[in-house]
Amino acid sequence: MTYLPIEDYGLIGNMHTAALVGRNGAIDWMCWPNFDDPSVFAGILDDEKGGTFQIAPAENGMTERHMYWPDSNVLITRFLSDDGVAEVTDYMPPGLDDDALGYRSLVRRVEVIRGEMTLQMTCRPAFDYARADHTLTIHDTQVRHGGAQFDGQTHHLGLDATVPMKADGNAATASFTLSAGDRQHFVLYPSDRSAPQAGAFSREREQDLFHHTLAYWRDWIEQCTYDGRWRDEVYRSALVLKLLTHEPTGAMIASPTMGLPESIGGVRNWDYRYTWLRDAAFTVYALLRIGFTEEAKGFIEWISRRCHDCDPGAPLNIMYTVNGDADLEEIELDHLDGYRGSRPVRLGNAASDQLQLDIYGELMDAVYLTNKYQAPISYDFWTRLRGLLDWLSHNYDQPDDGIWEVRSGREHFVYSKLMCWVAFDRGIRLANKRSFPADLDRWRTCRDDLYREIMEKGWNEDREAFTQHYDSDALDASHLIMPLVFFMAPNDPRMTKTLDAIMKPPSDGGLRSDSLVYRYDQSRVDDGLPGHEGTFNMCTFWLVEALTRAGRTDPERLDQARVTFEKMLGYANPLGLYAEETGPRGEALGNFPQAFTHLSLISAAFNLNRTLDKS
């Protein structure tokens, strides 16, 4: 086995967990039973030890294609040759009761559309990030029906199939030939050792699960209120964000993967399977923009529980597991080779112990919008939020680790100060709107002091731009968000000068490479880590928004916004998915797919479309 490019994968899921499916028919990543539980398949992090579940033609040299069923998260992998065409349809049925047949299952339907084709199946799990052994039991239930049982130390999986299987070491395998119109299926499901379900997934039951899954996704996406120029791209991004929602708790994860590198062979390989307050709050904004209010409600309930879990007046953590655990000790999985040799593979995230003051701005903005567009928040929740803002009023003047989670020490990051301003501004607005009790005089003083401080210390006269932190001369693409959060008018000279500085190429001191934007210039910034990274996709979409807002009074800026947006759409993979970053060859880098990228695409598409209509 060799490593596929990251962009050659599609995503399926059921709002408990998710799986990456390659164009070669291999499932090379899946954690079980939840997003942040140990992996069952991790071939993308080690092509020998990681484990995989592949269905592919026995013959090499096929043409491979990927597509989603329209308006759904049902994925089709198509194999084409002169002799035949086969399709593998992958899905995970969502919205089932926990006692329903098919609950938390992964279904792989195999069909031949034309001609004849021989296919091979290999299912080789590697429990606990390939650290735990398992036993395999093969059992036949009918003449042409087989089952397998994988028993690990803590988890048990069953594999039901409509073709007989055999053991190859600790892997279940099958070889079968199909003609046009033939169909078989494989179902991986959670299994109690004492009660295997082999044979229970009949052709009829699989058909029911398939139609249920299509109906679920189509019913959900029909709630979308966006009908603008980029409908397909917005729909796909919304479907991705829904897949990254943990249904039982309402948590929203940053990405379903861990360890995928920001540069091939580099060390910037992080675990993103957790809920960052920042990412989730931005996701709430994006989904509310296009009509999805229930997801916002679910996250607000989740964050309300986190507020009640901490001591009154104490700060929040910046990230949690989907179940609210804040213990995310970072360790290195030295037994894994890493994607294409990118080591170390990190489990957990040491950034969970960082101080990132900006999270309160994103949180309060999300709460403010949810209160406005979804449902009023409760008084008890308000008292916890008030305690957080009171804590912030005594701590906003500290240096912190910043949005980019640098490991070089704390600074007075301008973005962090900006979002502290947002926190107080939205808190004041919410208190006034709902007549909630609050220390408004102190909050106003903090808000106004922050504004003056950013203007005095964050602005660099020599560079004629806002810089990354006080006393710095380095640009930071996060400042593109200033007009988006209504801190500054988009046509304010300081904002347009900052915009112009960022839009210069790196060789001229800027951050833009054609339509792509770097977070910061690594030649000017010591972030505490060796190596380099690609352009940051979210920052490109932030540039689009900043140009869009400036374009309301400057038509040339609006033209730049549209060109940049259209070019950026060309960097998606064929399924419309984005990783965190884009490399020099246009390749996907970092964890995949990334909520940050897709939520910023939605916001950019919404605002650009609206501005173009008005213009």
Side-chain angles (χ1 to χ4, degrees):
M1 175 183 171
T2 58
Y3 293 99
L4 289 177
I6 294 172
E7 61 268 21
D8 276 4
Y9 285 93
L11 185 73
I12 60 172
N14 56 8
M15 281 84 72
H16 292 268
T17 190
L20 291 186
V21 185
R23 293 205 323 174
N24 61 353
I27 293 177
D28 288 331
W29 179 255
M30 185 176 73
C31 296
W32 196 275
N34 294 302
F35 295 111
D36 50 19
D37 282 321
S39 64
V40 173
F41 304 115
I44 199 169
L45 296 180
D46 192 308
D47 63 351
E48 292 185 2
K49 298 186 292 289
T52 189
F53 182 6
Q54 184 173 25
I55 302 174
E59 183 180 332
N60 294 325
M62 299 280 175
T63 299
E64 302 162 353
R65 295 285 187 271
H66 250 168
M67 61 174 287
Y68 281 110
W69 275 78
D71 298 342
S72 83
N73 282 313
V74 176
L75 183 65
I76 297 174
T77 306
R78 183 174 293 152
F79 300 97
L80 304 98
S81 72
D82 292 337
D83 299 324
V85 176
E87 291 182 348
V88 178
T89 302
D90 289 302
Y91 61 96
M92 301 174 77
L96 295 175
D97 295 332
D98 57 8
D99 59 349
L101 187 63
Y103 176 70
R104 294 204 181 188
S105 63
L106 185 158
V107 184
R108 313 201 70 184
R109 173 191 286 195
V110 189
E111 302 173 87
V112 164
I113 308 303
R114 173 178 60 79
E116 182 178 273
M117 195 173 292
T118 297
L119 298 106
Q120 294 180 335
M121 184 283 301
T122 300
C123 184
R124 187 178 67 254
F127 291 100
D128 191 20
Y129 310 106
R131 295 183 295 187
D133 295 329
H134 68 268
T135 61
L136 168 64
T137 304
I138 299 290
H139 42 78
D140 293 324
T141 58
Q142 302 172 15
V143 175
R144 288 187 54 78
H145 205 115
Q149 179 84 7
F150 303 96
D151 293 309
Q153 296 174 1
T154 58
H155 292 94
H156 309 282
L157 292 176
L159 179 61
D160 191 52
T162 49
V163 299
M165 293 182 286
K166 63 181 181 180
D168 182 3
N170 63 358
T173 65
S175 180
F176 53 99
T177 300
L178 302 180
S179 299
D182 291 343
R183 188 175 86 208
Q184 306 290 353
H185 66 256
F186 300 82
V187 182
L188 192 69
Y189 59 91
S191 173
D192 187 306
R193 182 194 301 261
S194 62
Q197 292 180 297
F201 291 94
S202 65
R203 185 185 181 96
E204 291 72 26
R205 178 55 182 165
E206 189 276 326
Q207 184 82 346
D208 289 343
L209 291 172
F210 174 75
H211 287 301
H212 161 84
T213 303
L214 280 181
Y216 179 94
W217 289 119
R218 288 171 174 171
D219 289 346
W220 183 81
I221 200 64
E222 280 183 1
Q223 303 172 62
C224 185
T225 57
Y226 179 87
D227 59 356
R229 293 167 173 81
W230 300 285
R231 176 187 179 276
D232 289 346
E233 291 82 0
V234 168
Y235 273 32
R236 180 50 52 200
S237 291
L239 287 162
V240 169
L241 294 180
K242 181 63 172 175
L243 279 180
L244 303 186
T245 302
H246 188 244
E247 186 177 58
T249 64
M252 297 175 178
I253 64 168
S255 178
T257 61
M258 58 180 276
L260 296 183
E262 296 175 8
S263 63
I264 302 302
V267 302
R268 299 167 184 256
N269 316 316
W270 314 113
D271 188 351
Y272 277 10
R273 300 169 301 146
Y274 308 116
T275 298
W276 269 255
L277 295 189
R278 175 191 309 110
D279 300 42
F282 278 134
T283 302
V284 167
Y285 167 81
L287 291 177
L288 280 173
R289 272 297 192 195
I290 56 175
F292 295 104
T293 57
E294 285 303 308
E295 288 68 29
K297 176 183 177 183
F299 173 69
I300 293 301
E301 291 174 349
W302 182 87
I303 193 60
S304 178
R305 292 193 292 272
R306 303 292 76 76
C307 289
H308 283 81
D309 287 345
C310 66
D311 295 332
L316 291 168
N317 286 72
I318 69 166
M319 70 178 84
Y320 299 84
T321 69
V322 293
N323 291 312
D325 187 359
D327 182 12
L328 299 174
E329 178 187 5
E330 184 175 296
I331 64 173
E332 295 179 0
L333 301 178
D334 294 332
H335 66 288
L336 295 176
D337 287 341
Y339 176 79
R340 293 176 59 187
S342 303
R343 304 180 70 184
V345 174
R346 292 183 173 91
L347 167 63
N349 201 308
S352 60
D353 295 327
Q354 287 188 346
L355 177 66
Q356 297 177 19
L357 295 172
D358 67 283
I359 66 171
Y360 301 99
E362 290 103 358
L363 171 62
M364 289 305 302
D365 195 41
V367 172
Y368 175 79
L369 292 170
T370 301
N371 180 84
K372 183 176 181 179
Y373 294 111
Q374 198 277 324
I377 65 169
S378 70
Y379 173 72
D380 288 338
F381 186 27
W382 169 253
T383 61
R384 296 290 179 163
L385 295 171
R386 184 181 63 198
L388 291 175
L389 288 176
D390 287 340
W391 175 88
L392 187 63
S393 71
H394 295 285
N395 291 276
Y396 72 84
D397 57 351
Q398 295 186 56
D400 74 343
D401 296 291
I403 180 178
W404 306 132
E405 300 177 354
V406 298
R407 301 195 175 193
S408 55
R410 294 178 179 177
E411 300 282 358
H412 288 284
F413 286 102
V414 172
Y415 178 85
S416 297
K417 306 300 183 185
L418 165 69
M419 296 312 292
C420 287
W421 177 90
V422 172
F424 291 119
D425 181 73
R426 302 311 191 261
I428 293 166
R429 294 190 194 196
L430 187 54
N432 285 330
K433 186 176 183 64
R434 296 286 306 279
S435 300
F436 281 139
D439 191 352
L440 292 179
D441 288 339
R442 180 173 180 81
W443 293 1
R444 288 192 188 97
T445 298
C446 293
R447 181 190 64 180
D448 295 346
D449 287 347
L450 278 161
Y451 202 103
R452 285 190 291 267
E453 184 177 301
I454 292 169
M455 290 301 184
E456 293 170 4
K457 297 182 179 180
W459 176 258
N460 186 301
E461 286 288 353
D462 293 335
R463 297 221 60 185
E464 293 193 306
F466 290 101
T467 49
Q468 188 174 69
H469 56 79
Y470 299 168
D471 303 319
S472 167
D473 65 353
L475 299 175
D476 193 309
S478 64
H479 301 156
L480 292 166
I481 205 172
M482 285 181 170
L484 281 58
V485 296
F486 306 112
F487 174 81
M488 179 171 285
N491 60 344
D492 186 291
R494 291 195 181 195
M495 191 63 234
T496 56
K497 288 179 179 179
T498 300
L499 189 56
D500 289 337
I502 289 173
M503 289 182 65
K504 292 179 180 178
S507 59
D508 291 338
L511 300 178
R512 189 182 70 155
S513 176
D514 188 32
S515 64
L516 303 175
V517 180
Y518 292 94
R519 294 189 289 182
Y520 46 83
D521 184 346
Q522 290 181 295
S523 68
R524 289 175 174 263
V525 174
D526 175 16
D527 58 14
L529 292 163
H532 299 280
E533 62 181 24
T535 54
F536 206 78
N537 293 328
M538 178 181 67
C539 293
T540 300
F541 288 120
W542 278 355
L543 174 62
V544 171
E545 282 218 62
L547 287 169
T548 297
R549 292 172 190 265
R552 292 171 184 171
T553 56
D554 184 346
E556 184 178 347
R557 300 275 193 189
L558 189 58
D559 289 341
Q560 290 175 322
R562 181 162 191 174
V563 169
T564 302
F565 186 73
E566 295 282 7
K567 282 189 172 184
M568 186 57 191
L569 294 181
Y571 286 99
N573 82 349
L575 296 170
L577 306 183
Y578 291 89
E580 181 179 38
E581 299 181 3
T582 299
R585 295 172 178 264
E587 73 274 24
L589 292 173
N591 286 302
F592 175 86
Q594 183 79 3
F596 248 170
T597 307
H598 286 279
L599 66 90
S600 58
L601 183 155
I602 290 173
S603 183
F606 179 90
N607 287 299
L608 178 57
N609 185 77
R610 182 174 61 178
T611 303
L612 288 170
D613 284 347
K614 290 181 179 179
S615 67

